[in-house]
Amino acid sequence: MRATILPLAALLLAGAASLSHPAAAEGLETGGISITRGGGNVNTAAAKNSFAGQAATTIGGMARNGGRVETLGGLNRNLASGRNSTALQDTTTVGGTAFGRGAQASTFGGLNTNAARGFGSLASQSATTLGGQAIGRGAQSQVSGGFNSNLAAGRFSQADQQVLTMGGSAIGRGALDRVSGGGNRNAALARGSAASQQVVTIGGQ
């Protein structure tokens, strides 16, 4: 996991999201409508000397002629559930681009979650949602960070969650840009607990 959120943001903006992530859903279409849905994800390990890991990336496509682009991050999850657990999840959703009068770009981060639940736990989650671009008269860009969460639930717990939601661009006469940070939450819940959360929401341009 990244030590801080802002270096992650810089990396993503410079390279538009690393394609080296093991699980990626990409859509690249030209036409009136482009819809990209991240996978159902989930990643488990379910105890004894557990470990889980998971990185899911969803990158939106392109639509022209007053088009509409929707990018939906995966349903994510990730667990490890006890014993000598660890979990780690890294989820990135990057919106697409829509051109033309009334163009719309909507980007929704995944449903996230991450756990570890007990004995020797550690959890750690990083969820990043970057908005797309809508260019044209009356263009609209909408960005919603994922539902997030993160837990660790006891014994040698730790949790650590980092969430970054960054607005896209709506360019043109009467353009509108909306940005909503994720649902967040973070826990750790006792014995050797620690929990640590960083949430950054940055408006669009």
Side-chain angles (χ1 to χ4, degrees), residues 66-185:
R68 176 166 57 95
V69 170
E70 290 185 11
T71 309
L72 311 171
L75 302 184
N76 313 318
R77 207 165 148 72
N78 182 44
L79 179 70
S81 235
R83 246 0 229 284
N84 303 327
S85 273
T86 305
L88 312 177
Q89 175 175 54
D90 190 343
T91 284
T92 303
T93 305
V94 180
T97 304
F99 297 96
R101 183 167 185 166
Q104 296 179 30
S106 301
T107 309
F108 303 97
L111 299 185
N112 313 320
T113 304
N114 176 47
R117 298 186 186 277
F119 184 49
S121 272
L122 162 80
S124 235
Q125 173 175 56
S126 178
T128 304
T129 306
L130 302 180
Q133 293 187 315
I135 302 168
R137 183 169 183 170
Q140 295 186 29
S141 173
Q142 179 179 354
V143 183
S144 298
F147 288 5
N148 315 318
S149 206
N150 183 46
L151 178 69
R155 273 314 262 289
F156 308 123
S157 271
Q158 272 185 14
D160 187 54
Q161 174 175 58
Q162 301 181 46
V163 173
L164 169 66
T165 305
M166 184 174 293
S169 301
I171 300 169
R173 184 171 181 178
L176 179 63
D177 201 319
R178 295 190 184 95
V179 184
S180 305
N184 311 323
R185 282 196 324 191

